[in-house]
Amino acid sequence: MALYAQVIIDIAHTNVDRVFAYSIPAEEAIEVGQRVLVPFGRGNTAKEGYVIALCEQVDVPKERIKPILRKAEGFAALLPEQVRLASWMAQRYHCLMVDALRLMIPAQIRGDRVHEKTLGVAVLTEQAATLQTVKAALYTKGGACKAPVQKQVLELLEQMPEGMAVTDLYAFLPGCNSAVAALKKKGALIIKDVPVRRTPYKQMAPGTETRPVLTDEQAEAFHAIEQAMDEPRPGQTSFLLHGATGSGKTEVYLCAIEHALQKGQGAIALVPEISLTPQMVQRFRSRLGEPVAVLHSRLSAGERYDEWRRIRNGQARVVIGPRSALFAPVQNVGLIVIDEEHEQSYRNEQRPQFESAEVARKRLDEQNGVLVLGSATPSVTTYYQCVQGKLRLLEMPTRVGKMGLPKVVVTDMREELKRGNRTVFSGVLYEAMQRTLERGEQMMLFINRRGYSTFVQCRGCGYVVQCEHCDVSMTLHKSSRGDFLRCHYCGQQKAIPPLCPVCGKPYLKQFGMGTQLVEEQVRQHFPQARILRMDYDTTQGKDAHLNILQSFGRREADVLIGTQMIAKGLDFGGVTLVGVVAADASLYLPDPRSAERTFQLIMQVAGRAGRDQLPGQVVVQTYHPDHFAIDTAARQDYKAFYRQEIQNRQIAQFPPFANFVRLLFRGQAEQAVRAAKECHGLLLQCLKEHNIVPLQLEMGYAPIARIKDETRTQILLKLPSGPQADAALDALYTLFYRRTWPHCTLTMETNPSNMV
Ligand code: ADP
Ligand code: ZN
């Protein structure tokens, strides 16, 4: 038996980020992964901590070692492999050990804020003699019943050997409360606390759907995966499943997961967004039944806790969820699937910053498990890994069934304007909408901006209405209570000024369009159409996503208008038309991935059309029909896009050929500028020590120089890729990432997904 435990205290602070030794009380059995309460600090206050190792000896004098007070739970919250993963993450992503450990448990179990839910269940005592005596005492000598309600309760429970929930009992026999209390006091009945499971997506019952006959492409892909699972060879267990939308990738995942379960292994399937979870859960439950658990942040604390417990104790061996599901306590994980691998949500922006695919690979390496990344539009960096032989490529270019890919038409909006069309719909899209509605089919209209219009500008002097706290223009929103302006960065709202605050003229006009404007125009032109809108503003409620999607799925609406939320993974048989209202919105952003993002978005939305029996049509509206990203997306030619894009990146020295590192300083103007200058000096010195000449090094204001009244300065560094530069990068992280700057917040990111 180990005498000491190495404990990480549950306080996120650099100064506390090390192990503290505690002695294990003789009567306690403590395992690695156990959460414990320990005396900490001068006041010896009880703090929670994680046991990450056990040992026989410590190099601290014995008298200074304090004992563990008690366990936080009756079981070890973390698996030993999770503790190992956390240590790896702390090193790889330069985060605190406790930051990594906290990813592995539901937030509310810390601080004891969530528990098992129990239900009071009344059962009869097993002591027959007691029961007999109590029963007999209910009658007078003459045989009349003195307590008819107590008699009823006993008779009811006699028929219920499992007992009955007390609340049900009260409902069934109104007014029996005191009778129950009396019987309990006499020992005739006992009230047991029985754990109840809080189940997310209860309405999705497990079904008995069977596996369809796989297409040749599916069978080939699955066999390669199956073989890697059965006979894993190092370096041969990571796959990219490049399959067209509707080619049946999910089916391949399901087969692989079934195979893992047959082998007694666990599996994790990641989806990019919470809004996609219900669809996945539905499909997985109906195929795999009960062993499927769901984990994500929109579940109630209780549901999350129960799902997590079910996984921890092995009742659920398949977990679905967004990137956080990667840390679920699934035992013996043999397979991890990352669906729509190109999505940015697989990168954690907060500390610890991590890449899901990399963590997944690490988690699988212990037992040589299989990683499957799936996408119709793999990220350029992922595809490049395939080309280099680091990932095995599986291709499924054909859609399941007879349906080919939908027909895509690109319309040039410059021509529309010349023709005098000032609506948001090109002639082609307008006619297609009309036909779709006439036929009683459904359509999706995609516009990647919420609100009504993008900005409000004075046509007299050019002034654009800005947020008072951020250097950004405000967006016009409409509501039943009138129009107002809102800042999408800080949430600040204000009324639209009647006159231009600069030149005083009444020429303020809105420009650009958002989901609300599109909705309004559809209403104007097609008053008979039933419309649903899905964007940030309409999905704030707990089940809002699900409700909108289910309603559309039940065909309660003809038109679904939405932001990128509707672009991904959704599968509605009735949709035959997809309109990309403004394809250019993401094309000229200050971001090395803007071409890739535009291509992916168009491909993804286009993939929503014609998934069932009816052929699909896609209309892409753009001002840049000749741009290669739009052209290749319209032709749905991933490889053509990849060839051009990888060449561009090689020439421009963009990832994967180089890495951008951004240090962002936020604070009061002076401090933010000073910190940037100081760091610039340190950075130069560090690069020099590592003999690295940066490809680019700039210091200045961030593209948005002020958000929420904070000034934002930055250092933008581009490093060549390669081991030497990686070592320098590590050193830079050590230098900056964990340090705190006075009056200034420093964030450091490699290849940030948001450059503003
Ligand atoms: P993807 O994930 O590649 O977009 P899905 O797995 O969602 O594609 O499959 C698209 C549709 O085809 C789904 O409705 C699915 O049920 C159906 N499907 C997939 N594989 C088969 C198959 N082998 N036989 C019949 N239908 C299939
Ligand atoms: Zn603002």
Side-chain angles (χ1 to χ4, degrees), residues 18 110 138 142 148 160 175 191 203 210 250 265 275 298 348 350 357 387 416 427 444 507 601 663 678 715 746:
R18 58 187 176 86
R110 297 172 35 225
L138 294 181
M160 302 244 180
I191 295 180
Q203 69 279 28
T210 47
T250 313
Q265 297 176 327
S275 66
R298 292 250 181 126
N348 197 37
Q350 282 121 31
V387 173
E416 297 291 324
M444 289 164 103
Y507 297 151
L601 268 175
L663 285 97
E678 249 175 69
I715 299 174
L746 165 62

Side-chain angles (χ1 to χ4, degrees), residues 661-718:
V661 182
R662 172 158 97 150
L663 285 97
L664 178 72
F665 306 87
R666 293 177 290 138
Q668 287 173 6
E670 263 170 54
Q671 262 95 9
V673 171
R674 197 166 63 206
K677 280 187 186 155
E678 249 175 69
C679 287
H680 190 255
L682 290 170
L683 190 142
L684 282 177
Q685 201 179 344
C686 178
L687 290 176
K688 204 167 152 202
E689 280 163 17
H690 281 81
N691 242 332
I692 290 286
V693 182
L695 299 169
Q696 182 188 338
L697 178 58
E698 285 168 15
M699 176 172 58
Y701 286 99
I704 297 181
R706 191 173 53 117
I707 293 180
K708 291 186 196 173
D709 289 323
E710 272 186 332
T711 298
R712 297 150 54 86
T713 57
Q714 68 173 20
I715 299 174
L716 194 61
L717 169 71
K718 193 158 80 170

Side-chain angles (χ1 to χ4, degrees), residues 431-442 555 558 576-577 614-615 617:
E431 276 167 35
M433 289 170 73
Q434 211 163 21
R435 272 200 312 274
T436 307
L437 289 172
E438 276 164 18
R439 290 201 207 110
E441 293 163 10
Q442 290 177 296
R555 292 182 158 232
D558 310 298
T576 55
L577 173 65
L614 305 162
Q617 189 192 355

Side-chain angles (χ1 to χ4, degrees), residues 463-507:
Y463 168 79
V464 175
V465 184
Q466 300 250 324
C467 174
E468 280 148 36
H469 308 280
C470 314
D471 286 349
V472 294
S473 53
M474 294 182 89
T475 306
L476 179 69
H477 282 252
K478 296 208 165 188
S479 81
S480 50
R481 277 165 287 127
D483 300 356
F484 60 93
L485 292 165
R486 181 185 281 158
C487 170
H488 283 186
Y489 284 83
C490 72
Q492 161 96 3
Q493 300 190 6
K494 68 176 177 191
I496 303 163
L499 302 173
C500 172
V502 174
C503 71
K505 301 217 175 73
Y507 297 151

Side-chain angles (χ1 to χ4, degrees), residues 622-674:
T622 175
Y623 288 94
H624 304 95
D626 302 325
H627 192 286
F628 81 96
I630 292 187
D631 175 53
T632 51
R635 291 190 280 116
Q636 309 202 41
D637 188 345
Y638 177 82
K639 284 184 187 159
F641 167 76
Y642 174 80
R643 278 193 298 271
Q644 178 71 55
E645 178 66 9
I646 201 80
Q647 205 178 342
N648 292 355
R649 291 203 189 179
Q650 189 146 30
I651 293 165
Q653 293 283 294
F654 281 172
F657 303 101
N659 291 308
F660 284 100
V661 182
R662 172 158 97 150
L663 285 97
L664 178 72
F665 306 87
R666 293 177 290 138
Q668 287 173 6
E670 263 170 54
Q671 262 95 9
V673 171
R674 197 166 63 206

Side-chain angles (χ1 to χ4, degrees), residues 512-526:
M513 60 178 146
T515 45
Q516 282 190 323
L517 177 83
V518 174
E519 180 180 355
E520 186 184 271
Q521 294 228 340
V522 178
R523 272 188 214 292
Q524 268 168 22
H525 293 286
F526 305 99

